[in-house]
Amino acid sequence: MTAIAAARRTDCSPQARITKSLLGWGVVAGPLYVVVTAVQALTRDGFDLTRHPASLLANGGLGWVQIANLILAGLMTVAAAVGMRRALRAGSGRVWGPRLVALYGAGLISGGIFRADPALGFPVGTPDGPGPVSWHGLLHFVGGGIGFLGLIGACLVFARAYAALGRRGWAIYSGATGIVFFAAFAGIASGPGNAVINLAFTAAVVLGWAWICATSAHLMRQAA
């Protein structure tokens, strides 16, 4: 990433190895989260991707799987953010970019600790409709919302930094990811249950993870 994202190029020093290891968690976090969530979405009785947000998978007898998935993905994202901060040596994005990525990771951890409330008929036997909101359901929404805003902000910060370097492709990719995610998040925040909005938000989440993976891999190559 040249000036903004010049990774530590110190042959095979312990510092460089640690930085690459931390960034490696950013490469695997997204694929792991997406695969685990997809398997559950396709196999959990009564779950429908067109109606139910993935956070509802934290309910029911197998809810612990999604809880662990959220917490582990969050921890890996925070580790990747530390790696980004170690790798970035100059430029406007080197401080706030990693901090906002870490905020997204913290939001995922919060989403796992504070479980979403059963709703919209899931798990099976839950009344249809939004249902009552508990204290942990409220904290799930607040923590997740703050985390999503962190990811949006990180994309835009990196986009601005890439643009300043003349890295047009990366700037467009980062900016577009942030804008698409913001639009999808605004849609899902207006109320779950709409098939188009649910699927659009699912696609935006995958896009966000792809951006974290690509950015981490890019910085790893710079550190090689």
Side-chain angles (χ1 to χ4, degrees):
M1 224 178 168
T2 64
I4 176 183
R8 301 180 185 279
R9 307 171 69 93
T10 54
D11 50 37
C12 293
S13 68
Q15 292 82 2
R17 289 197 298 269
I18 292 172
T19 299
K20 290 175 63 179
S21 296
L22 290 168
L23 289 168
W25 291 115
V27 175
V28 303
L32 178 64
Y33 175 85
V34 171
V35 169
V36 172
T37 300
V39 170
Q40 293 181 86
L42 295 174
T43 59
R44 293 282 301 272
D45 187 27
F47 189 86
D48 184 355
L49 274 172
T50 65
R51 296 190 67 234
H52 302 130
S55 58
L56 292 184
L57 290 168
N59 293 287
L62 293 175
W64 64 269
V65 176
Q66 186 65 2
I67 291 172
N69 191 28
L70 284 164
I71 293 175
L72 287 175
L75 291 172
M76 288 188 283
T77 301
V78 172
V82 175
M84 290 178 185
R85 183 64 184 88
R86 291 168 61 93
L88 303 178
R89 301 187 62 183
S92 59
R94 70 186 182 93
V95 175
W96 279 105
R99 285 180 180 178
L100 291 168
V101 172
L103 183 61
Y104 176 55
L108 291 168
I109 296 170
S110 173
I113 294 174
F114 303 110
R115 178 173 49 85
D117 293 308
L120 302 171
F122 186 84
V124 175
T126 301
D128 202 7
V133 179
S134 66
W135 64 270
H136 57 80
L138 178 61
L139 290 177
H140 176 90
F141 179 78
V142 172
I146 292 174
F148 289 143
L149 291 176
L151 177 58
I152 294 166
C155 291
L156 298 180
V157 166
F158 273 90
R160 180 174 179 270
Y162 279 122
L165 289 170
R167 304 293 297 275
R168 184 177 180 184
W170 276 98
I172 293 174
Y173 175 40
S174 299
T177 300
I179 292 170
V180 169
F181 201 101
F182 175 78
F185 175 58
I188 202 71
S190 66
N194 182 285
V196 174
I197 292 177
N198 280 357
L199 292 175
F201 183 71
T202 298
V205 169
V206 174
L207 180 64
W209 279 120
W211 178 82
I212 291 176
C213 178
T215 302
S216 298
H218 177 67
L219 293 176
M220 283 184 69
R221 288 194 296 271
Q222 295 292 325

